Amino acid sequence: MKAVHVTVAGRVQGVGYRAWCRDEAARRGLSGWVRNRASGEVEAVIAGEPAIVDDMLAALWTGPSSASVSAVDVAESDAAPEGEFAVRATA
């Protein structure tokens, strides 16, 4: 199991990025959560099999068609959420 904490920057709010992230994570069988940050970034914790997490991290650079990602910062996380991938309220 691999868990990562991710911050995504660019034009990622108001473009459906959180819903896209939730759908992509669910399609891959990953657990975790995603939320907007007051700073304009999107934050997520993603957990699952290492190769599948890595695949999701690569997909975060693309996002939905109206997004424009400028950075994806990744750090390992001790938190390994289980269950369905969720969209959380803005922090």
Side-chain angles (χ1 to χ4, degrees):
M1 180 70 88
K2 177 178 182 175
V4 293
H5 178 264
V6 182
T7 304
V8 184
R11 190 175 71 235
V12 292
Q13 290 191 14
V15 296
Y17 199 95
R18 290 176 302 159
W20 172 87
C21 186
R22 178 199 58 221
D23 294 347
E24 288 295 311
R27 186 174 66 78
R28 290 172 169 82
L30 297 169
S31 59
W33 53 264
V34 62
R35 67 181 171 192
N36 283 342
R37 298 286 308 210
S39 62
E41 298 168 319
V42 168
E43 175 183 29
V45 171
I46 302 166
E49 293 298 320
I52 300 171
V53 170
D54 290 343
D55 182 59
M56 181 69 183
L57 292 174
L60 292 176
W61 279 97
T62 303
S65 62
S66 53
S68 177
V69 176
S70 61
V72 177
D73 295 325
V74 181
E76 289 191 29
S77 176
D78 291 334
E82 296 182 11
E84 192 171 306
F85 199 90
V87 174
R88 289 189 174 176
T90 300

